[in-house]
Structures are given as C-alpha cells and as structure tokens.
Amino acid sequence: MSARQFQIDGLPAANFSALFALPDTELQSRHIQRRIVAELHDAPCRVSLMDAEPGEEVLLLPFAHHTLATPYRSSGPIFVCQDASEAMLQPGEVPDSLHRRLLALRAYDAAGWMLACDVSEGQQVEALIERLLQLPGSAFVNIHYARAGCYAARARWA
C-alpha cells in the first residue's frame, strides 16, 4: 500500500432529504420513484454507502455524477435511503456495499477527462483505486456498480 491513502466519499444527505416529503405525483414529475426494499443488497444507498434493509423506504432517482464539460459528462440512477446518515469512512476503508459487488472504476483529471478505466471484484478494489489515483494528473476516481452501471461513489486522495 502506498504512503498516501484514498478516501471514498458518499453523497451529502442534504441533497436528497427534502425529496422524501414530496407526494408521489411530484416525485414522478421529477423522474423519481419511491420504493420499499424487498431484499437485502437490492438497493445500495449512495449517501450512507450501505445496503438498504428489506422494508426500508428508498428513492430511485437520476443523479448527475460527472458534470464537468467533457464527453464523459454523465448521469444515472441511484438509490437514497430515507434518513440516511452520511458515510464517515476512514482513509483506505471500503464499505461492504462496494466490497460485495463487481465494480467499474474510471480515473479522471481535474478537467474531467478520463485517464484510464478498469474493473475489479469489490474484495480487491483497494489496489485498483490506488493505481488509478497514482496516474499522472489523476484527480478522482468514479466507482460504478459494473453489472447495472450505476454510479456508486467517488475516491480521491485523503
């Protein structure tokens, strides 16, 4: 492991908390769906970076995770749990929601241009995150769930 450690960041809860109070008709007009989780590991929350529990209310919504003005600009679906606490990971820590899934990682420079990409089983992702962050000019790594293609989290140097 390198002397520097990476930090994985979830999304701020404040960006989503007011959405849960909206009626379903308003959510639908924003392309958001309210769901009750049926099975464990079906809905990884992008705020807590934990899997929602069966019976828990989540929102499935579009999220722009790469907004810099390049051809790589993109958005995709994410789940957010009601009353989710923001992830407070230690440097170098990978949450279980990432460890249990096949991941696709994309390294970008500060202007948003992709430098490299690769896939990894979640249990081996630490080495790939470090390798991608060590690329010359690398500013951050976007992590996606490879099978569904959904944005999961962002990694950067701590």
Side-chain angles (χ1 to χ4, degrees):
M1 194 169 187
S2 69
R4 295 176 78 184
Q5 288 193 302
F6 61 83
Q7 179 70 52
I8 294 177
D9 298 315
L11 299 173
N15 292 1
F16 309 101
S17 56
L19 294 173
F20 284 91
L22 297 176
D24 287 346
T25 54
E26 177 64 21
L27 292 176
Q28 290 168 359
S29 74
R30 297 178 187 205
H31 311 289
I32 300 172
Q33 187 178 65
R34 189 184 319 270
R35 292 187 173 184
I36 302 300
V37 175
E39 295 184 33
L40 188 62
H41 310 310
D42 274 357
C45 177
R46 298 341 190 269
V47 171
S48 67
L49 300 180
M50 297 172 57
D51 287 315
E53 295 290 327
E56 191 170 356
E57 182 178 323
V58 298
L59 295 179
L60 174 61
L61 65 143
F63 178 73
H65 59 272
H66 188 73
T67 59
L68 297 170
T70 70
Y72 300 104
R73 173 182 273 176
S74 61
S75 66
I78 64 168
F79 288 105
V80 175
C81 296
Q82 187 175 26
D83 302 321
S85 297
E86 291 182 19
M88 302 295 278
L89 302 175
Q90 296 297 312
E93 181 181 1
V94 176
D96 288 339
S97 63
L98 296 181
H99 264 163
R100 73 171 40 92
R101 292 174 170 90
L102 180 66
L103 303 171
L105 288 79
R106 301 169 190 153
Y108 296 92
D109 66 16
W113 289 91
M114 188 165 56
L115 302 173
C117 57
D118 208 340
V119 294
S120 174
E121 289 293 339
Q123 290 294 331
Q124 290 84 38
V125 74
E126 291 89 343
L128 181 55
I129 292 171
E130 288 185 356
R131 181 171 63 79
L132 292 174
L133 285 173
Q134 289 171 359
L135 294 171
S138 183
F140 62 93
V141 173
N142 278 348
I143 304 169
H144 297 259
Y145 296 119
R147 287 186 176 88
C150 303
Y151 173 80
R154 179 169 285 183
R156 59 177 171 79
W157 287 125

